[in-house]
Amino acid sequence: MQLEPILISGHWSTPAEAPKTFNAFNPATGEALAALYPVSPWHDLDEMLRAGTEAAAALARTAPEAIAGFLEDYANRIQAHADELVRIAHIETALAEAPRLRDVELPRTINQLRQAAAAAREGSWSTPTIDTKLNIRSRLEPLGKPVVVMGPNNFPYAFNGIAGGDFAAAIAAGNPVIAKAHPAHAGTTRVLARLAHEAVVASGLPAATVQMFYRCAAPDGLRLMSDPRTGALGFTGGRPTGLKLKAAADAAGVPAYFELGSVNPVVILPGALAERGTALATEFAGSCLLGVGQFCTNPGIVLVVRSETASVFLNDAVAKFSSSPAGALLAPDMPAILKATAAHMVSLGADLLCGGSEGPSPGFRFQSTLLSVKGATFLKHPKEFQEEMFGPCSVVVVADDEDQLEECVALIEPGLTGSLYTATDGSDDALHDRLVPLVARNVGRVLNDKMPTGVAVSPAMVHGGPYPAAGHPGFTAVGIPASIRRFAALRCYDSFRPARLPAILRDANPGGLAWRLVDGAWTRDDIAR
């Protein structure tokens, strides 16, 4: 059987010696797909680092217009090959062709690339800063080394290592990318890599601006992260793997930016339950079960105060979960993991309200699962009841009163999002104001009267949070220009002659983008005008 090639140093290559191999699967049927992919040995990764280092030096001298042109050309090629991409991603992930893949995720991916192109061309992401009196100037610049990007299994386009947000941000900052495919959608990544390579050639960027491998042995992945030629890591995926990669990167001083999931607490206050409890049960179930629960912003824990309206909410939610069919999960081992996690929670005192078992064959399926736990029990085992269940599962914590609810909220672990639902008549406002600081200290995005699923590609978006949900609370994986700044080095030019300065740091700043210290006051050129 023919082995699929990797993209290395500007060309497609298959190993000279027979390597270990793997297949992707069709989650809807459980069948292995025909294409055979190599597990790259260290030799391949070493060559990618060598070529990426050369490309980084060339990219640092490349005009932003050329980098923007590549990103736009790549976006156009993805759009032109939508049918091919949707077909293969649907087979590899069982995600719906429409609206999920064709109408939502693929347009989002194209939009991210175009936003990154606009930011690269405009330049303000680099925050040029000029002290005219002392003739000291600084800006963010490329790292001068390749960035390694590893994407998750649940977003075959928008977080893909060779097309997603981390990729777009790293390229916009002027860095080459070494992308690792996710084994769950290796074929989709192969198509994206082909289109990216075509765009690199057409734009005239260095040949190794974009490289891609499918998989490597775990020790080689850690070695890649601890290699001094690696500029940074962008990782989205499971916590055990992410923390091992971070440890390897930290030991070598390699910046590691990751997003490792979250339970995304949703606190529904008493007035909101009394006012619209049935509607909230529908909204909660829709959010939790969306995409078979395989979102890092899935509402994995809901907190309420015990009352008659809370009981109605729970009953309505159980009805919604129970009537939902067992959807296909992305990985073969996920049904068993979810079953074991739910069973462990039951052993600690949770009530299994529905689901809890594998779904019917074929494919990798699990029943929509809802558990409930009393507030006092949650307080005894807060960590265990917040174990992320990456699937159609959630836990409802029922506190005895508002004070116990506050105790439970105070023990919520660091995550990506936190939501609070309140009554429209203001009756929940005082409790809301008590709880917001407890929620906000542990998440990157706080929501009011809104479920956490759905991450808009907006400059104001924060898709990050405290460790270990993310690698650093000051950065975001979504939202340009902020996401670009992760993959840049802050560099200062002290007492340079004007002609030697980067154009954006000269007194005659071409875009009027710089912050300047003039007569003791900071001002932005475009604001001053």
Side-chain angles (χ1 to χ4, degrees):
M1 183 178 294
Q2 182 178 356
L3 194 63
E4 297 294 338
I6 62 174
L7 179 59
I8 181 170
S9 191
H11 61 272
W12 291 97
S13 173
T14 53
E17 299 179 4
K20 294 182 179 180
T21 61
F22 71 96
N23 301 86
F25 289 87
N26 183 332
T29 65
E31 297 173 333
L33 300 174
L36 194 63
Y37 301 95
V39 178
S40 290
W42 174 251
H43 175 271
D44 288 345
L45 306 185
D46 184 58
E47 174 59 21
M48 286 184 171
L49 285 170
R50 184 204 63 77
T53 300
E54 291 183 359
L59 275 177
R61 301 187 298 269
T62 300
E65 179 61 40
I67 293 172
F70 159 72
L71 289 165
E72 289 171 339
D73 185 13
Y74 185 25
N76 292 340
R77 291 174 189 272
I78 290 175
Q79 189 169 35
H81 289 80
D83 289 344
E84 179 184 9
L85 286 164
V86 169
R87 177 186 60 79
I88 190 168
H90 171 65
I91 293 171
E92 291 186 317
T93 66
L95 297 172
E97 292 189 22
R100 166 65 192 269
L101 293 174
R102 184 182 299 277
D103 303 322
V104 178
E105 190 178 340
L106 199 59
R108 169 182 170 167
T109 306
I110 293 167
N111 181 37
Q112 287 175 165
L113 290 166
R114 289 175 175 161
Q115 285 190 21
R121 180 178 288 116
E122 187 257 359
S124 64
W125 70 269
S126 65
T127 60
T129 306
I130 299 172
D131 183 333
T132 54
K133 182 177 180 179
L134 296 179
N135 193 18
I136 298 174
R137 300 146 197 268
S138 65
R139 67 167 181 171
L140 291 165
E141 295 187 349
L143 293 168
K145 300 179 181 181
V147 173
V148 177
V149 179
M150 302 181 181
N153 61 3
N154 59 333
F155 278 90
Y157 313 135
F159 283 85
N160 194 295
I162 204 163
D166 284 352
F167 171 88
I171 294 288
N175 305 291
V177 166
I178 298 172
K180 178 192 171 294
H182 195 285
H185 43 71
T188 304
T189 306
R190 179 192 60 212
V191 174
L192 290 168
R194 186 192 81 215
L195 300 177
H197 178 57
E198 292 172 357
V200 165
V201 173
S203 64
L205 292 186
T209 295
V210 177
Q211 302 181 87
M212 184 275 295
F213 68 100
Y214 298 102
R215 199 171 188 170
C216 66
D220 288 336
L222 299 178
R223 185 177 177 184
L224 177 64
M225 292 323 310
S226 61
D227 194 291
R229 293 169 293 177
T230 298
L233 166 67
F235 176 86
T236 305
R239 183 168 293 185
T241 299
L243 293 182
K244 290 176 183 177
L245 289 168
K246 176 175 169 52
D250 286 348
V254 175
Y257 302 99
F258 57 79
E259 185 265 284
L260 302 182
S262 170
V263 295
N264 306 296
V266 176
V267 185
I268 306 179
L269 300 186
L273 279 178
E275 185 179 79
R276 56 191 194 280
T278 296
L280 291 179
T282 300
E283 189 176 346
F284 159 55
S287 177
C288 184
L289 304 180
L290 183 68
V292 201
Q294 297 169 112
F295 287 101
C296 53
T297 52
N298 181 52
I301 189 167
V302 177
L303 300 100
V304 300
V305 174
R306 179 167 50 87
S307 67
E308 184 176 337
T309 54
S311 298
V312 172
F313 166 83
L314 264 179
N315 291 335
D316 288 341
V318 169
K320 295 292 182 183
F321 274 66
S322 299
S323 62
S324 176
L329 298 169
L330 292 161
D333 58 345
M334 284 310 301
I337 292 173
L338 292 175
K339 182 177 181 179
T341 303
H344 182 56
M345 290 184 181
V346 170
S347 73
L348 294 175
D351 293 320
L352 180 64
L353 303 181
C354 63
S357 298
E358 293 93 335
S361 297
F364 318 134
R365 301 178 187 274
F366 195 75
Q367 297 173 339
S368 300
T369 299
L370 190 62
L371 302 102
S372 71
V373 60
K374 294 179 180 178
T377 305
F378 174 84
L379 291 172
K380 293 178 182 178
H381 307 283
K383 185 176 181 63
E384 289 84 350
F385 287 118
Q386 293 179 78
E387 184 173 351
E388 184 182 16
M389 292 187 283
F390 196 65
C393 311
S394 191
V395 180
V396 179
V397 177
V398 183
D400 288 338
D401 52 33
E402 293 182 1
D403 289 338
Q404 191 179 72
L405 177 68
E406 185 173 0
E407 288 184 70
C408 293
V409 171
L411 293 178
I412 292 296
E413 294 197 339
L416 301 172
T417 75
S419 304
L420 297 103
Y421 277 82
T422 59
T424 57
D425 64 5
S427 58
D428 290 324
D429 286 2
L431 181 56
H432 169 272
D433 293 346
R434 280 168 54 192
L435 297 179
V436 162
L438 300 178
V439 174
R441 71 186 183 188
N442 273 336
V443 302
R445 177 167 58 120
V446 189
L447 301 95
N448 260 189
D449 301 308
K450 184 180 180 182
M451 288 291 162
T453 39
V455 179
V457 182
S458 161
M461 176 54 66
V462 173
H463 189 59
Y467 178 88
H472 191 297
F475 294 93
T476 176
V478 177
I480 292 170
S483 64
I484 300 176
R485 298 180 187 127
R486 297 172 297 164
F487 304 117
L490 185 60
R491 192 158 289 119
C492 173
Y493 295 84
D494 190 338
S495 300
F496 264 55
R497 299 174 189 173
R500 294 175 177 174
L501 287 165
I504 204 169
L505 292 181
R506 295 172 186 170
D507 286 339
N509 183 289
L513 302 171
W515 285 98
R516 298 175 187 270
L517 181 60
V518 180
D519 296 329
W522 285 104
T523 183
R524 248 281 285 270
D525 292 355
D526 54 349
I527 298 173
R529 288 198 300 270

